[in-house]
Structures are given as C-alpha cells and as structure tokens.
Amino acid sequence: MLSRERVQQLCKKSLESIPLGLKDEEWQNGIDFYKYMFTNHPDLRVYFKGAENYTAEDVQKSERFKKQGTRILLAQFICANTYSDPVAFEAFARETTDRHRIYKMDPALWHAFWTVFVNYLCTKTTVDEETKQAWAQLGKDFGDECLAHLKRTGRAY
Ligand code: HEM
C-alpha cells in the first residue's frame, strides 16, 4: 500500500504528459483517449449513443469527442488532485456516479475504467510500476465509493 500522499504525487506527475486543452495538441490528448478506448474496448461504445459504431477516424473528426475527451481527462486531474482529501475525492466519486445514472452502465465499470485509463497513459509516456500501482489504488478507492453509493441509495446503477 502506498500512502495517499505518494499516490497523489505519482498520479499527478504522470498527468504532466497530458496537458489539457488550449492548444490543438492539448485537445488532441482528449481525442486520443477516446480513439484508444473505442479501438481497444469497442464494447464500451454501446454507452455512447449515436457513436456505437465509431472508429478512431470518426472520433478524430468529432467535435463531441473533442469536448468529451478533455472532460474525461479533467476528471482524472480532479481525482489525482483530490486524492489526499478523501472528503472531496469520495464526494467526486458519488457525483460522477450520479451523473452517469442515465447511461445505465454496468457497475463493474467503475473499477474496470482505470486499467483502460492507465493503458491509454502508457501510449503518452513511460508509466513505471509504482505509478501503475498508484493509479490502481486510486481507482479501487474510486470504484469502491461508487459502488458503496449505489448500495446506500438502493440503486443498481
Ligand atoms: C460522460 C460513459 C467512466 C467522467 C460520459 C458519457 C458516457 C460515459 C456515455 C456521455 C458522453 C457522450 O455520450 O457524449 C462512461 C463509461 C465509463 C465511464 C462507459 C467506464 C468505463 C467515467 C469515470 C469518470 C467519468 C471513471 C470520472 C472519473 C465523465 C465526465 C463526463 C462523462 C466528466 C462528462 C459529462 C458529465 O460531467 O456529466 N461517460 N464513463 N466517466 N464521464 Fe464517463
């Protein structure tokens, strides 16, 4: 187990490889996330209405995924930056769960997401074993809180 501070430090450091959108190449980091996800996990496209059959090429041309790409990466910055403050981190996990209610996702995805994310990060920079462990720890805590929230509120998703 890494300390919360160490997890935060490692996750934040790894995010330096994907600065967020002002310049074209920064927006591209977000587009690249969905290109990666839709190519390597095409089954997840089912939740993105109207984009169920999108290829990486379709994502590249899409204004929707340009915006959404930076949104999802920003959420990872929020996770890393709040990890040392469990009150904020866990509240963000619950808020994210609530915002996804309409997509009726398989709850297991709250844990599975993080492997997808780290593998995407590996396409951008070298991610060492300790940093992978840090993201795994953060992702487990995030997923645990999402599932606890669903249970507490008596919901399946
Ligand atoms: C939006 C699915 C995990 C943060 C969305 C949308 C879908 C979706 C379908 C709507 C976008 C659109 O259709 O254009 C999923 C799936 C996940 C996942 C299948 C797991 C595999 C996460 C995680 C986070 C997150 C772990 C945060 C840590 C967001 C944000 C938005 C969004 C910030 C923008 C809309 C909003 O803030 O409500 N997601 N999501 N998602 N997702 Fe996820």
Side-chain angles (χ1 to χ4, degrees):
M1 270 278 275
L2 302 168
S3 71
R4 286 194 96 84
E5 286 67 29
R6 183 69 180 145
V7 167
Q8 178 169 66
Q9 188 183 32
L10 290 165
C11 292
K12 283 178 70 173
K13 181 84 196 147
S14 66
L15 292 173
E16 287 174 11
S17 61
I18 49 163
L20 298 182
L22 280 177
K23 300 192 199 122
D24 282 353
E25 63 263 35
E26 294 165 346
W27 287 103
Q28 187 63 40
N29 288 327
I31 297 168
D32 287 346
F33 175 78
Y34 282 104
K35 286 171 86 170
Y36 177 84
M37 187 163 115
F38 283 15
T39 303
N40 295 283
H41 303 276
D43 48 312
L44 293 177
R45 294 178 301 179
V46 69
Y47 298 109
F48 294 82
K49 293 297 163 226
E52 293 92 337
N53 298 312
Y54 265 33
T55 62
E57 214 177 300
D58 296 323
V59 171
Q60 182 63 48
K61 292 185 292 202
S62 156
E63 196 59 30
R64 170 181 171 191
F65 284 99
K66 179 182 175 188
K67 291 199 181 119
Q68 177 58 23
T70 290
R71 280 195 199 115
I72 188 105
L73 295 186
L74 174 59
Q76 309 322 311
F77 276 72
I78 294 170
C79 287
N81 279 277
T82 56
Y83 192 68
S84 59
D85 180 353
V87 171
F89 178 78
E90 288 169 12
F92 184 63
R94 294 191 295 275
E95 170 69 15
T96 304
T97 310
D98 288 346
R99 281 173 178 252
H100 283 70
R101 193 173 182 182
I102 48 171
Y103 310 128
K104 304 195 189 321
M105 277 161 51
D106 176 351
L109 290 173
W110 290 122
H111 284 103
F113 172 83
W114 304 90
T115 310
V116 180
F117 178 68
V118 168
N119 288 338
Y120 153 76
L121 215 49
C122 289
T123 69
K124 296 289 181 187
T125 186
T126 307
V127 183
D128 63 23
E129 283 309 312
E130 197 188 11
T131 304
K132 283 185 186 161
Q133 196 189 329
W135 278 110
Q137 206 168 305
L138 181 153
K140 179 170 188 319
D141 286 354
F142 188 93
D144 286 354
E145 184 57 22
C146 294
L147 267 54
H149 182 55
L150 294 177
K151 200 170 171 195
R152 262 185 235 117
T153 52
R155 291 195 258 137
Y157 32 66

